[in-house]
Amino acid sequence: MLTQIFGSAVFGIDAQNVIIEVHINPGVGYHLVGLPDNAVKESNHRIAAAVMECGYKLPGKRITINMAPADLRKEGAAYDVPIALGILVASGQVLPQQLEKWVIMGELSLDGSLRPVRGVLPMALQAKADGFSGILVPENNGQEAAIVDGIEVHAFLHLTALIGFLEKYHSNNLVTYDLASQLRFFNDSILDFEDVKGQESIKRCMEVAAAGGHNILLIGPPGAGKTMLAKRLPSILPPLSTSEALETTKIHSVAGQMKGSGIIHQRPFRSPHHTISDVALVGGGTYPQPGEISLAHHGVLFLDELPEFKRSVLEVMRQPLEDREVTIARAKFTLTYPASFMLVASMNPTPSGYFHDDKGTPGHSAAEMQRYLGKISGPLLDRIDLHVEVQPVPFEKLAQTPLAEPSSAIRERVISARERQAKRFDDLPHVHHNAEMNTKQIRNYCSLSKSSLTLLKTAMDRLRLSARAYDRILKVARTIADLEGVDAISDSHIAEAIQYRSLDREGWLG
C-alpha cells in the first residue's frame, strides 16, 4: 500500500514542500531514500520505539520511504512524525480523514511524545502559500506556527493525540495567536538611558546613530560606560514593523532559538565574545545555520573590545555591512541570509587602555599605536559612520540624584526622524534610512550651501580628515537635520557631524 504525507524542508530562511511517500509490500527491509542526512536515517530507531509505546507496531514487511524532491537535502529529526504516521497509515493501523490537507512535522521521543523542531514559522508560511488547510506541529511550536494568519495550526504533546485528531478531527488542539496585539505591545527595556549619568554628548551621538541607522565605534578607557551605553541603544530604536518582526522571527526560528515563544517584537541585541569564529559570526557550517550577524537582523550587533577579535573574523563582516545580507556558497547550493543590522563596537584608545593624557598613564609610540589599531582594517573602519571618544564620568555627575532623559523621549525623536527618511526614500526599495545611501543618493539628498561647503573644506584641510570621511560626514549631517525636522543641511549640522570622526583626525595616534 502507498501513502503520501506532506512535510516541509527549510532552505535558508524559507521552506519548501516535501512529499513523504511510504510503500509497504511483501519482503523484509527498511529503505529510506531522498537525500536524507544522518539524523533522518536514524529515525527508524526512534520510530520503532515510539509506535510500540503508542500501542502500534512496525509491519514485518519491506518498507520503502521516499522523500521528494530527491535532490533536496533533508536535515534533522523533524521528519520523525510524518514518517511514523506514513508507516502506520500504509500498514492500515491508522485511518485518517483528509490527510492531504495537512503539513505534518515533529521529532519523536522514544515514548511517543513530540519534541519541538526548528523552522516552523517558514514551514507554516510555505504551507499557506501551497494551499494547505493547516499544519500539525509539536506543542512547543504551536505559538510560533500560529503567527501565520489564514491557516489552521494544531499542536500536540503526543503522537497518539495527533493520530486521534486525524481520525476523529477534534479541534480542541487548535492554536490561535493575536499578531496585531503582540506587535502593538512595545515593552520598554529594563535598560534605559535615564540610568546613564553624564555622557550627554555620547548619548546625543547614540541618538544620531539610531535615527540614521549608522554604525558607531565607541573609544574610551575601561569603566567609561561604553558597554552600558551600547546595551541601551535598542531602547531608543523604533518598534519593529510587521514585516521586520516576521523576518526576524523566521531567522531565529531556523536557528532554533524560539523556545516556544511567538513573534519577536523587540529588536535583537547580539553581543558575541571576541573568541567567536568567522563561521559563528557570519553563518555557515557543514549544515549551514544563520550566524550572529543574521540573528542581529533589524537590531544591534555589539562587538566589545573590537581589536581583540581575530582579524579574519572582522574581515568577513565587510561584505555583509555593505550588502546587508550574507551569501554562503557551497558546491551544490547557495544560501542567502539577511543581515541588516546596526554595528556598535567599542575599543580602548591605546594598548594600555587609557588616553595619552590620562594622569599617570605611560605614553605609547606611534609604532605601538599603529600596531594596535592595525588590527582593525581601513575598509572595516570605512563602513563605520561615527567614531567618538568616551571619557570617564567625573564624580560630581555620578553623585547627582536626578535621572537623565528617559529612552522613551529619545525614541520619539528617533521615530520622527525615521519617518522623514521613509518618505524621502519611498521610491527606493533598498534604502530605508540615511546610512544606506550610496554616493549618487548622497549627491541628491545632501546638497550643501556655499558656507557649509566652505566649512567642510576647512575642517578637512585643518584636521587632515581622510577622503573616506567626506561621504560619512554628509550622511550623518543629513540625519542630524532630520532629527531637527528640517530639509536643508546647515553649517551647525556639518559642524556636529565632523565631531563624530575621531579616528580620521591627524594626530589621533599620538
Side-chain angles (χ1 to χ4, degrees):
M1 181 177 178
L2 175 65
T3 297
Q4 286 187 342
I5 306 288
F6 294 96
S8 191
V10 175
F11 191 74
I13 63 167
D14 297 313
Q16 182 174 335
N17 182 30
V18 172
I19 302 174
I20 300 166
E21 301 174 315
V22 181
H23 185 259
I24 298 178
N25 61 348
V28 178
Y30 184 94
H31 306 280
L32 180 61
V33 297
L35 211 59
D37 72 350
N38 287 334
V40 182
K41 291 177 183 177
E42 294 170 351
S43 64
N44 63 317
H45 303 295
R46 295 188 294 271
I47 291 169
V51 297
M52 289 180 64
E53 289 293 324
C54 295
Y56 302 99
K57 63 180 181 179
L58 288 182
K61 297 182 180 181
R62 181 184 180 91
I63 302 174
T64 303
I65 302 165
N66 178 45
M67 308 177 76
D71 60 346
L72 178 66
R73 187 172 183 82
K74 321 303 185 303
E75 301 173 359
Y79 300 98
D80 289 359
V81 172
I83 292 174
L85 187 61
I87 293 172
L88 295 177
V89 173
S91 61
Q93 299 179 72
V94 173
L95 302 175
Q97 302 179 31
Q98 298 179 311
L99 189 60
E100 70 282 354
K101 292 174 53 178
W102 311 101
V103 169
I104 305 172
M105 296 296 284
E107 178 184 347
L108 279 174
S109 296
L110 298 186
D111 63 354
S113 59
L114 272 57
R115 296 181 181 274
V117 298
R118 298 182 177 189
V120 165
L121 177 56
M123 291 176 186
L125 289 167
Q126 189 60 41
K128 178 182 178 181
D130 290 338
F132 287 95
S133 297
I135 182 170
L136 312 183
V137 295
E139 178 77 19
N140 286 345
N141 290 129
Q143 288 292 305
E144 179 185 341
I147 293 172
V148 182
D149 190 27
I151 187 172
E152 287 186 36
V153 175
H154 297 267
F156 307 91
L157 287 171
H158 202 272
L159 180 61
T160 53
L162 189 152
I163 292 172
F165 167 80
L166 287 172
E167 290 186 324
K168 301 176 182 178
Y169 195 66
H170 294 310
S171 59
N172 56 324
N173 300 99
L174 182 67
V175 182
T176 59
Y177 190 84
D178 190 348
L179 177 61
S181 66
Q182 288 296 320
L183 288 176
R184 285 196 300 269
F185 172 71
F186 186 86
N187 182 25
D188 286 336
S189 173
I190 298 175
L191 301 175
D192 197 289
F193 270 101
E194 70 179 1
D195 302 323
V196 182
K197 296 182 179 181
Q199 304 291 21
E200 300 304 326
S201 62
I202 309 303
K203 286 189 279 188
R204 167 64 176 178
C205 183
M206 300 291 278
E207 179 181 340
V208 172
H214 301 288
N215 301 322
I216 181 172
L217 174 61
L218 304 175
I219 310 161
K226 303 185 296 295
T227 302
M228 184 181 188
L229 288 161
K231 287 184 176 181
R232 282 157 176 76
L233 181 58
S235 69
I236 63 173
L237 292 173
L240 287 168
S241 65
T242 303
S243 60
E244 288 176 335
L246 281 172
E247 194 170 29
T248 302
T249 306
K250 282 173 67 177
I251 297 171
H252 284 73
S253 173
V254 170
Q257 299 198 7
M258 293 301 296
K259 299 179 181 179
S261 61
I263 198 164
I264 293 175
H265 55 267
Q266 298 285 348
R267 292 189 181 272
F269 181 87
R270 308 293 299 187
S271 180
H273 192 261
H274 62 79
T275 57
I276 192 172
S277 67
D278 51 354
V279 172
L281 185 66
V282 301
T286 305
Y287 303 117
Q289 291 291 318
E292 287 291 330
I293 63 176
S294 292
L295 293 171
H297 185 56
H298 293 313
V300 175
L301 177 70
F302 177 48
L303 301 184
D304 197 9
E305 302 300 338
L306 190 64
E308 299 300 322
F309 286 79
K310 291 184 290 187
R311 186 176 178 116
S312 61
V313 172
L314 298 179
E315 290 304 295
V316 295
M317 285 202 307
R318 286 163 54 179
Q319 180 256 338
L321 282 170
E322 193 72 24
D323 300 337
R324 301 197 175 262
E325 64 182 17
V326 178
T327 301
I328 300 171
R330 295 290 183 268
K332 295 183 179 180
F333 62 88
T334 299
L335 293 177
T336 299
Y337 293 116
S340 180
F341 59 92
M342 280 185 62
L343 173 63
V344 180
S346 72
M347 60 178 286
N348 295 328
T350 63
S352 67
Y354 297 91
F355 289 107
H356 293 292
D357 55 357
D358 287 348
K359 186 176 181 180
T361 302
H364 295 279
S365 67
E368 289 175 322
M369 285 298 301
Q370 191 63 59
R371 188 163 52 250
Y372 175 68
L373 294 176
K375 297 178 182 179
I376 310 169
S377 70
L380 178 61
L381 284 176
D382 193 31
R383 289 162 172 79
I384 300 177
D385 293 342
L386 303 98
H387 15 93
V388 292
E389 298 176 9
V390 184
Q391 297 286 353
V393 181
F395 174 79
E396 291 75 15
K397 289 191 177 181
L398 286 175
Q400 290 177 353
T401 53
L403 294 175
E405 184 179 31
S407 292
S408 57
I410 302 173
R411 187 170 63 241
E412 289 301 319
R413 297 194 295 269
V414 169
I415 292 173
S416 178
R418 287 283 185 108
E419 289 173 349
R420 291 180 63 85
Q421 294 166 51
K423 293 178 181 178
R424 178 184 305 127
F425 304 130
D426 187 51
D427 298 330
L428 302 172
H430 301 296
V431 181
H432 305 92
H433 41 69
N434 292 333
E436 295 178 337
M437 288 191 293
N438 58 31
T439 303
K440 181 180 179 181
Q441 290 152 0
I442 291 173
R443 287 200 305 267
N444 292 339
Y445 299 113
C446 301
S447 58
L448 301 180
S449 64
K450 187 175 180 179
S451 62
S452 295
L453 278 172
T454 302
L455 174 62
L456 181 54
K457 181 180 183 303
T458 302
M460 294 191 70
D461 290 341
R462 289 185 178 178
L463 300 176
R464 302 279 183 94
L465 296 177
S466 64
R468 70 183 180 217
Y470 179 78
D471 283 352
R472 297 317 189 260
I473 289 173
L474 290 181
K475 288 197 289 187
V476 173
R478 176 69 271 166
T479 299
I480 296 170
D482 289 337
L483 279 169
E484 197 173 303
V486 297
D487 294 327
I489 298 175
S490 68
D491 295 2
S492 63
H493 304 147
I494 292 292
E496 183 179 350
I498 291 169
Q499 299 302 311
Y500 300 143
R501 299 297 302 179
S502 294
L503 291 183
D504 286 320
R505 299 173 192 168
E506 186 188 44
W508 195 91
L509 293 177

